């Protein structure tokens, strides 16, 4: 069965009700398997990874394969409390598909359902990837040997939905599409005490305020304004009550750059600022950086040129050349190992990605499936590498 538009929307809505955090995508994994089990199994082989049990790989054997083409989508959701009031809202309080991975999985299922019925020329490998939002599921899968033997991938494709692009628009660019990111955790230790006797304590909240302000000057004063960098602290934990000076602060943030050298420079300056503050405030500041698999997403020049040319000449596709974005993706790790192309699918949401009112237009699903099936058919009929 090739999934119809109504079936695709039903699937997406079901996935939307069962969002799960990174590496906890068990219900999602089981539901994907249940949907896939209804497709023709004639040319299909499934691979699971015991050490990464929520991942799922599906191979559709080609009729005359010259290459193995990979298609990747991510599965996890975010710790966000949905506010859209939908009939098919998240059934797990505080967890939401606020980054559209429910859309990504549904597009992948649509493409897979087509090729389960219409045997492709090349081998197609569908990778349903856990843990994109954190914990580097793509890197974990690669390092566990997911793409070996029959599941070896020669070229990889994958999409991300885009709240700002009009519904169904395919956006892409050659070179860097997404930033590389590094998660940063900061633990500041001062000394707690009575609010009335600051001279006897060492106020870690005051130190954190200085740290945050100084770190933001890296972006405004240290880096070349024509090059991009972002430092965001999205989480801060400190204190117990208004009249006790806090002895500890914990900060969680993310730093981003379009090149690896920018990320390394931001890390260096954050560490230098922390060392300076340790001296000036006589405190301890421990910093932990973790890049995992969030390398800059570098689109392959040859494959991406072809992808863009196809999308531009396809009258049914609305294509836009897009600027690099500061979003991160651990598909960057896979594209660092295997050439490929990541692209945007417009879903025109009033709320931004990662927000509680993110509300993608579902018509984009069918448009994404059609654009990608068209491209894959074109690609598989080309003789060249
Ligand atoms: C597309 C998207 O929103 N991706 C996430 C990736 C998370 C990267 C990592 N956990 C970090 O925060 O550095 C993003 O936040 O861009």
């Amino acid at each position: 069965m090739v999934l119809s538009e109504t079936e695709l929307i039903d699937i997406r809505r079901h996935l939307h009700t069962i969002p799960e955090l990174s590496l906890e995508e068990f219900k999602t994994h089981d539901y994907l398997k249940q949907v896939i089990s209804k497709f023709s199994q004639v040319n299909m082989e499934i691979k699971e990874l015991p050490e990464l049990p929520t991942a799922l790989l599906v191979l559709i054997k080609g009729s005359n394969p010259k290459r193995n083409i990979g298609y990747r989508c991510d599965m996890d959701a975010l710790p966000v409390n949905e506010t859209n009031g939908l009939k098919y809202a998240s059934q797990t309080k505080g967890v939401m598909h606020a980054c559209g991975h429910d859309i990504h999985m549904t597009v992948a299922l649509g493409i897979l359902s087509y090729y389960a019925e219409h045997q492709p020329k090349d081998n197609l490998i569908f990778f349903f990837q856990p843990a994109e939002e954190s914990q580097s599921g793509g890197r974990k899968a690669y390092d566990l040997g997911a793409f070996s033997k029959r599941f070896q991938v020669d070229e990889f494709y994958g999409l991300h939905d885009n709240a700002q692009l009009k519904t169904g628009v395919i956006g892409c660019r050659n070179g860097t599409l997404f930033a590389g990111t590094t998660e940063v955790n900061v633990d500041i230790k001062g000394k707690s005490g009575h609010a009335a006797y600051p001279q006897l304590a060492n106020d870690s909240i005051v130190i954190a305020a200085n740290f945050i302000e100084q770190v933001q000057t890296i972006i405004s004063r240290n880096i070349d304004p024509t090059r991009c960098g972002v430092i965001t602290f999205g989480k801060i934990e400190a204190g117990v009550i208004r009249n006790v000076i806090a002895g500890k602060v914990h900060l969680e943030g993310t730093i981003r750059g379009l090149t690896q050298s920018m990320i390394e420079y931001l890390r260096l300056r954050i560490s230098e600022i922390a060392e300076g503050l340790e001296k000036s405030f006589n405190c301890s500041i421990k910093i932990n950086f973790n890049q995992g698999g969030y390398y800059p997403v570098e689109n392959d020049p040859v494959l991406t040129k072809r992808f863009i040319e196809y999308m531009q000449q396809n009258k049914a596709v609305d294509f836009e050349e897009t600027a690099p974005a500061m979003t991160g993706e651990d598909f960057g790790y896979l594209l660092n190992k295997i050439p490929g192309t990541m692209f945007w699918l417009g879903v025109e949401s009033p709320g931004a990605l990662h927000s509680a009112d993110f509300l993608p237009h579902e018509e984009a699903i069918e448009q994404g499936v059609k654009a990608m099936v068209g491209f894959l058919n074109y690609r598989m009929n080309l003789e060249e590498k």
Side-chain angles (χ1 to χ4, degrees), residues 8 10 22 38 70 77 88-89 98 134 225 229 232 250 259 290 294 298 319 329 349 361 377 383:
L8 288 168
D10 286 347
S22 308
K38 296 189 183 126
Y88 54 92
S134 68
T232 295
H250 174 74
T259 58
N290 176 26
Y294 300 89
E298 303 281 0
F319 178 80
E329 252 286 353
S349 161
H361 279 68
N377 286 339
E383 283 309 315

Side-chain angles (χ1 to χ4, degrees), residues 22 74 78 98-99 101 104 132-136 160-161 178-184 232 253-256 290-291 294 326-330 342 344 353-354:
S22 308
D74 38 16
L78 283 161
C99 199
H101 299 186
H104 303 176
E132 183 277 327
E133 294 295 352
S134 68
Q135 318 227 34
S136 313
H160 203 290
D161 57 355
F178 285 4
T181 79
T182 292
E183 293 174 357
V184 50
T232 295
T254 169
I255 65 183
R256 285 143 195 252
N290 176 26
Q291 181 159 18
Y294 300 89
M326 298 309 283
T327 32
E329 252 286 353
D330 73 339
M342 175 154 237
W344 292 109
L353 286 173
H354 289 201

